[in-house]
Amino acid sequence: MGSADSKLNFRKAVIQLTTKTQPVEATDDAFWDQFWADTATSVQDVFALVPAAEIRAVREESPSNLATLCYKAVEKLVQGAESGCHSEKEKQVVLNCSRLLTRVLPYIFEDPDWRGFFWSTVPGAGRGGQGEEEDENARPLAESLLLAIADLLFCPDFTVQSHRRNNVDSAEDVHSLDSCEYIWEAGVGFAHSPQPNYIHDMNRMELLKLLLTCFSEAMYLPPSPESGNTNPWVQFFCSTENRHALPLFTSLLNTVCAYDPVGYGIPYNHLLFSDYREPLVEEAAQVLIVTLDHDSATSTTPTVDGTTISTAMDDADPPGPENLFVNYLSRIHREEDFQFILKGIARLLSNPLLQTYLPNSTKKIQFHQELLVLFWKLCDFNKKFLFFVLKSSDVLDILVPILYFLNDARADQSRVGLMHIGVFILLLLSGERNFGVRLNKPYSVRVPMDIPVFTGTHADLLIVVFHKIITSGHQRLQPLFDCLLTIVVNVSPYLKSLSMVTANKLLHLLEAFSTTWFLFSASQNHHLVFFLLEVFNNIIQYQFDGNSNLVYAIIRKRGVFHQLANLPTDPTSIHKALQRRRKTPEPLSRAGSQEGASMEGSRPAAPAEPGTLKTSLVATPGIDKLTEKSQVSEDGTLRSLEPESQTSATEGSPPEEEPSQTWKDQRRLSSTSASGQWNPTSDWILSWKSKLPLQTIMRLLQVLVPQVEKICIDKGLTDESEILRFLQHGTLVGLLPVPHPILIRKYQANSGTAMWFRTYMWGVIYLRNVDPPIWYDTDVKLFEIQRV
């Protein structure tokens, strides 16, 4: 039958469904089969031929027909899974049903009255067998659907290579088949890489699309702080009820991490061969991150049966969370597996940065946000993986792409989510000493980036990019400033030598943040000054030798420190500063930062194209909720400084003190005017001014400034190289205050970030699935869709 005919017949069936007011019996196969039996329609056809308005009309006017359609489509998938889909016809029926369900499910989810439908049992569809009407074990429709999808994803000759030597054998029995022998790709726990097969990849992709659509019920619930908000679809699919959980987890992970978009290194290769692997890899990455959406702060688990690839999993106690995907992820432990995962993710993240001399010569992947979420989950759920990443300079292969994305997205309103996840990952890494140490590696790879040219280390790259984000990003990034500077504070005790460019950038930030109008214009702004002073103190106390550039920059800009020490606190000065605030909407002055030429071949960071769609995000917790303070002891171990009971009371206290002064005191010291605008008071300024940690720097200036001035007078010098040489050989041993203990602010999991990740992840998935547009124009509640 021609495809035009089959489209026509399919459309006729849809029209009949929408116009019939009487319920159609479930036994009327002649009617229902029109939807899947003799049609060859692509998923795009199904979306075009089943308009949203008609699905909603059936839902409202003849709900029993919509219910029967769903039930019959699931029944066909279950039958396909049972029989093993041997004939072409059976395969076609399975694909048609799966496309139809992908189309219809979002309209079931958007209506609260239908939400329980898939979790109710259907008479006669029992776990036990056919036809007993009163089967106590009847499975809910959702469970039957999920188990059928799982079986179909390991169906020989449909989604995996058959292992039969010849066609004489009887078909491989779907029920006795050990799916661990049919894992889709070599990698973690599986050494054999099956022959690529375009048809299998396409079929897997269609089924994964349906699976993702099942999981997407989460999009239709408003964000709630309750972390116990588990997704029942994910919970069941990732439970011991799914006998394919382990091989499927491994297949998804290996498919993503083994993918090489460049294709044997031949330039322009992607223009000659359409890459059918990439859509599968994207789908696999999206399904994987959704199954791993699990609040790490909660829940524990049953043990898991060992299988052929259990050697890849660590058998450590405790058994870990009930979600088997999270469980398996947290138990991977072999070095070669970590290496495979890290190399794969780094290869894919670096892909957009590959600049060869031939423009467009390499295929540019688009799923870097999903990869960042996956990398985050790996580090968050598997501490051994995190330590492996930081053990060698391989971590820099993740750092450089993240800095590239941060710098590239800084002016684009539609990519705020990408900015946040990049910064969160760096915050997580910066809590480990090794990350700071790794940053000392010289930076020689010249990825064209819109930043000043410098010669130095990866630490220089990080600080120069952060400076660029703070001074020339858009307004909505201001909540990230605390996080950016916390990362710099965390690594600062380990930075052996900063370049002159970087030293000037740090002082420019201090200059910008310590103007009175900035300090007095919001209740938290002074924290940024505390963070920067802490950076300078750490470097002076722990890395003085080797940091003559920074010391020189501090001497040159010594006025800023004196200004801070003499910060005015009288009402008149406050009033004057606030007048200036009303005149200057600019977030930070660009003046005084000698920008210098940007790197060759770079393009300026561009704002979003007008009309770009973006999804809203929930607010992220403040830095005090995101992190926990620890002190580094002499032997390098960390000691938490957070008294359990007081963690909630630290909101407004400056970073320098223990959480003794609660935010209530802070509120009392400042006043809120009738218009709701916050206003600083003299008492409020005094409350933190007295705690500014200026002693070390003032002592350094007291000792070095006269010496530097003397050199200049004696030698009539205006040349800085001579002064730098003097500073390189100088020493402050015995002249500085006793070194303070190093404070690290480590990321800590909390329900606020879990909720942020959930909304961000689903927002990315919503926007990336445009062909077909699975959720477009449905009534999602988890976020709002906005146009830039």
Side-chain angles (χ1 to χ4, degrees), residues 193-207:
S193 188
Q195 271 304 103
N197 182 312
Y198 170 70
I199 306 287
H200 294 173
D201 276 2
M202 297 305 282
N203 295 342
R204 290 165 179 174
M205 194 183 81
E206 301 249 19
L207 290 164

mmCIF file of all heavy atoms in Angstrom, residues 193-207:
data_model
loop_
_atom_site.group_PDB
_atom_site.id
_atom_site.type_symbol
_atom_site.label_atom_id
_atom_site.label_comp_id
_atom_site.label_asym_id
_atom_site.label_seq_id
_atom_site.Cartn_x
_atom_site.Cartn_y
_atom_site.Cartn_z
ATOM 1 N N SER A 193 31.761 -4.625 20.820
ATOM 2 C CA SER A 193 31.048 -3.536 20.152
ATOM 3 C C SER A 193 30.304 -4.095 18.943
ATOM 4 O O SER A 193 30.915 -4.496 17.961
ATOM 5 C CB SER A 193 32.039 -2.466 19.689
ATOM 6 O OG SER A 193 31.325 -1.361 19.215
ATOM 7 N N PRO A 194 28.960 -4.160 18.994
ATOM 8 C CA PRO A 194 28.205 -4.753 17.881
ATOM 9 C C PRO A 194 28.360 -3.926 16.601
ATOM 10 O O PRO A 194 28.672 -2.745 16.647
ATOM 11 C CB PRO A 194 26.749 -4.699 18.365
ATOM 12 C CG PRO A 194 26.811 -4.365 19.813
ATOM 13 C CD PRO A 194 28.094 -3.652 20.046
ATOM 14 N N GLN A 195 28.148 -4.590 15.474
ATOM 15 C CA GLN A 195 28.162 -3.890 14.182
ATOM 16 C C GLN A 195 27.134 -2.767 14.202
ATOM 17 O O GLN A 195 26.007 -2.993 14.633
ATOM 18 C CB GLN A 195 27.751 -4.865 13.064
ATOM 19 C CG GLN A 195 28.898 -5.632 12.452
ATOM 20 C CD GLN A 195 29.968 -4.689 11.906
ATOM 21 O OE1 GLN A 195 31.007 -4.517 12.536
ATOM 22 N NE2 GLN A 195 29.717 -4.078 10.760
ATOM 23 N N PRO A 196 27.482 -1.590 13.702
ATOM 24 C CA PRO A 196 26.463 -0.529 13.657
ATOM 25 C C PRO A 196 25.323 -0.953 12.731
ATOM 26 O O PRO A 196 25.565 -1.580 11.692
ATOM 27 C CB PRO A 196 27.204 0.668 13.052
ATOM 28 C CG PRO A 196 28.648 0.326 13.071
ATOM 29 C CD PRO A 196 28.775 -1.158 13.185
ATOM 30 N N ASN A 197 24.103 -0.664 13.132
ATOM 31 C CA ASN A 197 22.958 -1.018 12.300
ATOM 32 C C ASN A 197 21.948 0.127 12.333
ATOM 33 O O ASN A 197 21.326 0.402 13.347
ATOM 34 C CB ASN A 197 22.321 -2.309 12.824
ATOM 35 C CG ASN A 197 21.153 -2.760 11.968
ATOM 36 O OD1 ASN A 197 20.272 -1.965 11.624
ATOM 37 N ND2 ASN A 197 21.123 -4.036 11.626
ATOM 38 N N TYR A 198 21.814 0.773 11.189
ATOM 39 C CA TYR A 198 20.985 1.962 11.070
ATOM 40 C C TYR A 198 19.549 1.699 11.520
ATOM 41 O O TYR A 198 18.973 2.465 12.293
ATOM 42 C CB TYR A 198 21.013 2.404 9.602
ATOM 43 C CG TYR A 198 20.028 3.489 9.254
ATOM 44 C CD1 TYR A 198 20.214 4.788 9.732
ATOM 45 C CD2 TYR A 198 18.921 3.239 8.443
ATOM 46 C CE1 TYR A 198 19.323 5.797 9.417
ATOM 47 C CE2 TYR A 198 18.031 4.237 8.118
ATOM 48 C CZ TYR A 198 18.233 5.516 8.611
ATOM 49 O OH TYR A 198 17.351 6.510 8.308
ATOM 50 N N ILE A 199 18.960 0.586 11.068
ATOM 51 C CA ILE A 199 17.562 0.277 11.385
ATOM 52 C C ILE A 199 17.391 0.092 12.896
ATOM 53 O O ILE A 199 16.463 0.628 13.498
ATOM 54 C CB ILE A 199 17.085 -1.004 10.652
ATOM 55 C CG1 ILE A 199 17.340 -0.889 9.142
ATOM 56 C CG2 ILE A 199 15.626 -1.274 10.943
ATOM 57 C CD1 ILE A 199 16.408 0.069 8.419
ATOM 58 N N HIS A 200 18.317 -0.652 13.505
ATOM 59 C CA HIS A 200 18.215 -0.865 14.959
ATOM 60 C C HIS A 200 18.304 0.463 15.711
ATOM 61 O O HIS A 200 17.562 0.694 16.663
ATOM 62 C CB HIS A 200 19.312 -1.815 15.452
ATOM 63 C CG HIS A 200 19.159 -3.210 14.925
ATOM 64 N ND1 HIS A 200 20.108 -4.184 15.121
ATOM 65 C CD2 HIS A 200 18.160 -3.789 14.198
ATOM 66 C CE1 HIS A 200 19.702 -5.308 14.538
ATOM 67 N NE2 HIS A 200 18.530 -5.089 13.971
ATOM 68 N N ASP A 201 19.236 1.310 15.269
ATOM 69 C CA ASP A 201 19.376 2.616 15.930
ATOM 70 C C ASP A 201 18.086 3.420 15.840
ATOM 71 O O ASP A 201 17.648 4.028 16.817
ATOM 72 C CB ASP A 201 20.523 3.422 15.285
ATOM 73 C CG ASP A 201 21.886 3.043 15.872
ATOM 74 O OD1 ASP A 201 21.918 2.148 16.733
ATOM 75 O OD2 ASP A 201 22.894 3.647 15.471
ATOM 76 N N MET A 202 17.450 3.419 14.651
ATOM 77 C CA MET A 202 16.214 4.176 14.472
ATOM 78 C C MET A 202 15.099 3.616 15.369
ATOM 79 O O MET A 202 14.345 4.367 15.989
ATOM 80 C CB MET A 202 15.742 4.130 13.011
ATOM 81 C CG MET A 202 16.700 4.780 12.025
ATOM 82 S SD MET A 202 17.084 6.495 12.454
ATOM 83 C CE MET A 202 15.588 7.286 11.888
ATOM 84 N N ASN A 203 15.011 2.295 15.439
ATOM 85 C CA ASN A 203 13.957 1.677 16.266
ATOM 86 C C ASN A 203 14.168 1.955 17.753
ATOM 87 O O ASN A 203 13.222 2.237 18.486
ATOM 88 C CB ASN A 203 13.892 0.164 16.006
ATOM 89 C CG ASN A 203 13.456 -0.147 14.577
ATOM 90 O OD1 ASN A 203 12.888 0.711 13.895
ATOM 91 N ND2 ASN A 203 13.726 -1.366 14.113
ATOM 92 N N ARG A 204 15.432 1.877 18.170
ATOM 93 C CA ARG A 204 15.731 2.200 19.579
ATOM 94 C C ARG A 204 15.321 3.637 19.869
ATOM 95 O O ARG A 204 14.761 3.945 20.923
ATOM 96 C CB ARG A 204 17.242 2.104 19.832
ATOM 97 C CG ARG A 204 17.799 0.706 19.794
ATOM 98 C CD ARG A 204 19.318 0.772 19.685
ATOM 99 N NE ARG A 204 19.892 -0.550 19.672
ATOM 100 C CZ ARG A 204 21.187 -0.793 19.473
ATOM 101 N NH1 ARG A 204 22.027 0.213 19.250
ATOM 102 N NH2 ARG A 204 21.645 -2.024 19.496
ATOM 103 N N MET A 205 15.641 4.519 18.906
ATOM 104 C CA MET A 205 15.372 5.936 19.113
ATOM 105 C C MET A 205 13.872 6.186 19.295
ATOM 106 O O MET A 205 13.455 6.945 20.162
ATOM 107 C CB MET A 205 15.896 6.721 17.929
ATOM 108 C CG MET A 205 15.971 8.180 18.212
ATOM 109 S SD MET A 205 16.523 9.049 16.762
ATOM 110 C CE MET A 205 14.992 9.140 15.866
ATOM 111 N N GLU A 206 13.058 5.519 18.466
ATOM 112 C CA GLU A 206 11.597 5.715 18.570
ATOM 113 C C GLU A 206 11.096 5.248 19.941
ATOM 114 O O GLU A 206 10.251 5.899 20.559
ATOM 115 C CB GLU A 206 10.878 4.904 17.482
ATOM 116 C CG GLU A 206 11.305 5.298 16.083
ATOM 117 C CD GLU A 206 10.212 6.005 15.301
ATOM 118 O OE1 GLU A 206 9.254 6.511 15.937
ATOM 119 O OE2 GLU A 206 10.322 6.061 14.082
ATOM 120 N N LEU A 207 11.619 4.116 20.393
ATOM 121 C CA LEU A 207 11.165 3.590 21.692
ATOM 122 C C LEU A 207 11.656 4.471 22.846
ATOM 123 O O LEU A 207 10.940 4.678 23.818
ATOM 124 C CB LEU A 207 11.638 2.142 21.865
ATOM 125 C CG LEU A 207 10.920 1.141 20.947
ATOM 126 C CD1 LEU A 207 11.699 -0.175 20.872
ATOM 127 C CD2 LEU A 207 9.489 0.871 21.443
#
